[in-house]
Amino acid sequence: MKFNSSSPESLAQKRETFRIELGLGNAPIVEFPESVVGEHCFFRIVDLSEGGLSFENAEKVETLQAGVAISHCYLEFNAIDRVRLTITFRHAQEILSDGHSMWRYGCSFDGLSAEDERLVRRTIQARERRHAQTRSRFA
């Protein structure tokens, strides 16, 4: 399934249907080509959906502007599960906390194969199950 041919409404629906916020431990990472973002090219993902992701960085990355698509990126869930994709930047937001700035970047996926899309969906569902188990009184 190609997301770039979908309507904005279906992308929004897909984002809302399967979306998780990730904790600090064992979170997936996104890797951008060093030639585009510089030496610091790995970022911890804080939010993941079938249609995109968001990540944070302590410094603003000037090359990441809304509408810019970057190919040859990798979404890495663990040492084995890694997806190659194109990421399009949607927005950057500065978040102030205790006098410190943090930049949050929202991105959408382009060019996911059907197999990679299933991997993203399975990862989200597995994390949702684990999260639900921690809240369950029967766990």
Side-chain angles (χ1 to χ4, degrees):
M1 175 182 298
K2 291 193 174 205
F3 292 109
N4 54 359
S5 63
S6 300
S7 69
E9 293 81 18
S10 64
L11 281 174
Q13 183 180 17
K14 184 174 287 258
R15 179 129 174 94
E16 292 302 318
T17 304
F18 296 99
R19 180 179 182 177
I20 56 171
E21 292 205 19
L22 304 166
L24 294 175
N26 202 21
I29 61 169
V30 61
E31 176 186 357
F32 295 98
E34 193 173 319
S35 61
V36 175
V37 297
E39 203 171 277
H40 179 70
C41 56
F42 296 93
F43 301 93
R44 186 181 59 81
I45 297 171
V46 295
D47 178 272
L48 178 66
S49 74
E50 281 189 61
L53 59 86
S54 67
F55 65 91
E56 293 178 345
N57 194 41
E59 298 176 10
K60 185 174 185 179
V61 183
E62 296 298 331
T63 57
L64 305 182
Q65 302 294 323
V68 172
I70 300 176
S71 57
H72 308 295
C73 299
Y74 291 93
L75 175 57
E76 190 171 305
F77 297 105
N78 54 48
I80 298 169
D81 297 318
R82 189 174 191 203
V83 173
R84 183 177 173 162
L85 68 161
T86 297
I87 293 178
T88 301
F89 287 91
R90 297 297 174 201
H91 62 84
Q93 177 184 10
E94 184 176 17
I95 301 168
L96 296 173
S97 176
D98 297 327
H100 298 283
S101 289
M102 181 67 70
W103 288 89
R104 180 173 277 203
Y105 294 89
C107 312
S108 63
F109 300 145
D110 295 311
L112 275 179
S113 69
E115 182 179 335
D116 290 342
E117 187 177 324
R118 282 190 297 275
L119 175 61
V120 171
R121 184 180 304 125
R122 282 194 321 264
T123 300
I124 291 169
Q125 290 169 344
R127 287 185 183 261
E128 286 177 332
R129 280 192 301 273
R130 282 194 301 271
H131 184 70
Q133 288 175 340
T134 62
R135 293 188 321 235
S136 173
R137 62 187 177 131
F138 301 110

